[in-house]
Amino acid sequence: FISIFASFNGIVVGDIVLFFYFMDFNKRVHELLNEALAEQPTLFLVDISIDLASHIRVVLDGDVGVTLEQCMQVSRHIEHNLDREEHDFSLEVGSAGAAAPLMQPRQYKKHVGRILKIITNSDEELKGTLTATDNQMIALQWKAREPKPVGKGKHTVTKDVKVSYAEIKKAIVQIQFNK
């Protein structure tokens, strides 16, 4: 692929050609990914990145997890429909790991009943059991020790809080091992 380095009003034409070529490639990858995901409705996209070296990285999740077979099917659909003679690329398709932050509202549903650590946009840290989720927000619950309203000492109270997805900077499922 040839880049032309003629200048037009201070803009390098070669850079413009590269930009539009990259944008077409990027668009085609997204189209192929959407086709592959349409064939597997329990899967959804968590993240995709395509760098200037044409390294494509796709992170998937599923309503009931993601299998290796499903990742391979998505990878094959993308790879078999792109022409390596036209555009050299590398492709990596994987699942969001157990310790990866939750990035999409759809990811929260399968974690109801588990403990989440949330960092809000105001840097407040919340840690509790995910009790509910919908399209707008999540609900967390935890127990805390607080001073008694009357007299000395402390008592245990249950705290409930609702947090909108827009308020969440980072959410991580806390992995617990049974003793």
Side-chain angles (χ1 to χ4, degrees):
F1 135 147
I2 300 172
S3 182
I4 302 166
F5 291 103
S7 182
F8 178 75
N9 287 341
I11 299 173
V12 178
V13 175
D15 291 345
I16 294 172
V17 171
L18 285 172
F19 174 77
F20 285 111
Y21 185 76
F22 179 75
M23 293 308 294
D24 285 344
F25 178 73
N26 194 331
K27 181 180 175 188
R28 181 69 179 137
V29 170
H30 279 83
E31 288 169 353
L32 292 169
L33 178 59
N34 288 333
E35 289 172 9
L37 292 176
E39 294 173 7
Q40 300 188 56
T42 63
L43 294 183
F44 55 93
L45 179 65
V46 173
D47 192 30
I48 183 172
S49 62
I50 305 172
D51 65 21
L52 292 175
S54 297
H55 176 75
I56 307 163
R57 184 172 184 273
V58 177
V59 180
L60 304 173
D61 205 346
D63 297 325
V64 290
V66 181
T67 66
L68 178 59
E69 178 72 24
Q70 289 172 314
C71 288
M72 288 172 28
Q73 289 171 350
V74 171
S75 177
R76 286 182 184 139
H77 184 80
I78 295 170
E79 187 168 6
H80 292 165
N81 289 288
L82 290 175
D83 184 0
R84 284 198 186 269
E85 296 296 322
E86 183 181 315
H87 197 106
D88 189 28
F89 65 92
S90 64
L91 174 62
E92 176 185 337
V93 177
S95 64
L102 303 180
M103 299 175 70
Q104 302 292 331
R106 192 169 168 185
Q107 289 181 283
Y108 288 81
K109 214 177 261 187
K110 70 179 177 182
H111 294 293
V112 170
R114 293 189 173 156
I115 297 174
L116 292 185
K117 179 180 173 184
I118 304 288
I119 298 174
T120 66
N121 291 331
S122 61
D123 291 325
E124 179 183 10
E125 186 176 305
L126 304 171
K127 187 174 178 181
T129 302
L130 179 63
T131 57
T133 178
D134 62 24
N135 294 333
Q136 308 289 317
M137 61 184 53
I138 64 168
L140 291 178
Q141 185 178 75
W142 67 93
K143 298 203 181 291
R145 299 282 292 161
E146 291 185 349
K148 290 181 179 178
V150 177
K152 293 183 179 182
K154 292 185 176 187
H155 66 149
T156 302
V157 296
T158 301
K159 298 280 193 169
D160 291 291
V161 67
K162 291 184 179 182
V163 182
S164 74
Y165 294 115
E167 293 176 54
I168 299 173
K169 182 189 291 186
K170 189 173 188 180
I172 299 177
V173 176
Q174 301 296 288
I175 299 172
Q176 295 184 318
F177 298 98
N178 294 334
K179 293 181 180 181

